[in-house]
Amino acid sequence: MGAGIIGVGRYVPEKVLTNFDLEKMMDTSDEWIRTRTGIEERRIAPDDIDTSHMAYFAAERALQDAGMEAKDIDLILVATVTPDRPFPSVACMLQERLGAVNAAALDISAACAGFMYGMVTAAQFIDTGTYKYILVVGADKLSKITDWTDRNTAVLFGDGAGAVVMGPVSPGRGILSFELGADGTGGKHLYKDEYIVMNGREVFKFAVRQMGESSVRVLEKAGLTKDDVDFLIPHQANIRIVEAARQRLELPEEKISTTIRRYGNTSAASIPISLVEELEAGKISDDDLIIMVGFGGGLTWGAIALRWGR
């Protein structure tokens, strides 16, 4: 039995910040944002809701979906670049709130590719039999590290969390192949100083190339082809980057997730949030082949070929 997903959950804050709201805050326009990014609105967490709170809300729903209790979890992995504080980790805070008394806990810092890193890390523990059930969460409150006077970055980001419970699944299902990578020489193009700093042109070029190449390589590693792909869930950073990945896999538009319109870029949360959205919409069925692919600051990237089902 391989490692796969047996429960999912997501959380997004109630407050909606639209492009028209941003027009009142800075020199930008709804048309400018939509045509360049594909984003129409994003969610913003209030001051009393931090990353660990969002992670908790998503994790509770994932546990419920898996039909499990927190005490059943062996390990908690939280992908985030916006922890509540330097330490304790968000994972440790989440362990306490959930009552996951039997779980080890740690954070993963790989920016927007963090959820891919978390899933792949979890799979190694499950495949070796070291742990049976692992909670993987992607959660970020990017609004607290966004410069709301910089129209080049402020229009991109939102807050949210997504979670999956991973464990053994039936033969032939679960993670079939993966790729993780990093290029530290590109770190200067996307990083946090006081706020997020990004060289949009360079990150765009990197992302368009890497998302497509990684998706193709995980298919090759699994002995599959583009024709086998049933659905693509890319990191939601920019609609043009998402579209480039779709074209590389030669997929019709109905086979790709585009939640960026409603949520913007939620960093490590974007892929699990999208997964839950598409499951709820009935777009993913048992035994479908899903490609998940993301990139982020570091620069980092990761891709997974997964056969859906428990």
Side-chain angles (χ1 to χ4, degrees):
M1 298 181 75
I5 295 172
I6 59 177
V8 300
R10 71 173 175 93
Y11 169 81
V12 290
E14 291 183 6
K15 180 181 177 181
V16 176
L17 185 69
T18 69
N19 292 346
F20 297 107
D21 294 326
L22 290 174
E23 287 180 348
K24 302 170 186 176
M25 298 166 57
M26 62 190 71
D27 181 18
T28 191
S29 70
D30 171 65
E31 189 273 339
W32 189 90
I33 298 169
R34 279 189 296 104
T35 56
R36 287 162 176 78
T37 71
I39 301 168
E40 297 173 10
E41 59 187 41
R42 68 285 293 148
R43 302 297 181 94
I44 304 296
D47 291 343
D48 60 347
I49 298 292
D50 212 333
T51 302
S52 65
H53 300 95
M54 296 191 295
Y56 171 75
F57 299 142
E60 278 231 302
R61 292 167 185 173
L63 286 169
Q64 183 179 21
D65 186 51
M68 298 176 62
E69 297 181 12
K71 66 181 182 180
D72 300 321
I73 298 297
D74 300 306
L75 175 65
I76 297 171
L77 301 173
V78 176
T80 186
V81 291
T82 57
D84 297 32
R85 53 183 62 91
F87 63 89
S89 67
V90 174
C92 280
M93 298 171 75
L94 179 58
Q95 185 228 33
E96 188 272 332
R97 286 182 179 146
L98 288 172
V101 294
N102 298 310
L106 65 100
D107 285 359
I108 293 174
S109 180
C112 304
F115 190 75
M116 295 291 87
Y117 270 70
M119 281 191 64
V120 170
T121 300
Q124 311 314 301
F125 283 108
I126 295 166
D127 288 342
T128 60
T130 305
Y131 292 135
K132 189 172 184 180
Y133 298 118
I134 299 176
L135 177 64
V136 183
V137 184
D140 271 304
K141 187 178 181 179
L142 294 179
S143 61
K144 69 181 182 180
I145 60 169
T146 296
D147 181 354
W148 292 102
T149 66
D150 177 12
R151 72 170 188 167
N152 293 314
T153 57
V155 302
L156 301 174
F157 303 114
D159 302 334
V164 298
V165 177
M166 293 186 62
V169 293
S170 353
R173 291 176 171 175
I175 294 178
L176 306 180
S177 63
F178 69 86
E179 174 179 279
L180 297 178
D183 178 8
T185 64
K188 60 183 177 291
H189 298 310
L190 179 56
Y191 61 93
K192 176 189 175 292
D193 197 349
E194 181 179 3
Y195 298 111
I196 299 170
V197 179
M198 182 174 69
N199 181 332
R201 185 181 301 275
E202 291 300 320
V203 172
F204 181 86
K205 289 192 296 185
F206 164 78
V208 167
R209 181 186 75 253
Q210 197 60 56
M211 295 263 277
E213 290 179 357
S214 296
S215 298
V216 170
R217 281 197 291 266
V218 291
L219 282 172
E220 293 172 347
K221 288 180 180 180
L224 299 167
T225 69
K226 297 174 184 177
D227 293 336
D228 295 309
V229 179
D230 294 298
F231 208 78
L232 173 65
I233 303 180
H235 168 50
Q236 305 289 306
N238 181 299
I239 195 65
R240 291 181 295 170
I241 297 172
V242 168
E243 180 64 15
R246 182 188 72 79
Q247 291 177 1
R248 182 66 184 271
L249 290 180
E250 301 174 7
L251 291 173
E253 290 184 1
E254 63 268 20
K255 288 191 174 185
I256 183 171
S257 183
T258 53
T259 59
I260 189 171
R261 293 183 175 89
R262 296 187 300 280
Y263 304 123
N265 181 348
T266 55
S267 188
S270 81
I271 289 176
I273 285 175
S274 297
L275 173 62
V276 178
E277 290 262 320
E278 305 305 350
L279 284 167
E280 291 177 347
K283 295 183 180 179
I284 297 171
S285 303
D286 279 354
D287 296 315
D288 277 356
L289 178 68
I290 303 170
I291 300 297
M292 303 179 187
V293 58
F295 70 94
L299 296 166
T300 57
W301 67 88
I304 289 173
L306 180 140
R307 183 75 66 187
W308 185 256
R310 303 187 183 187

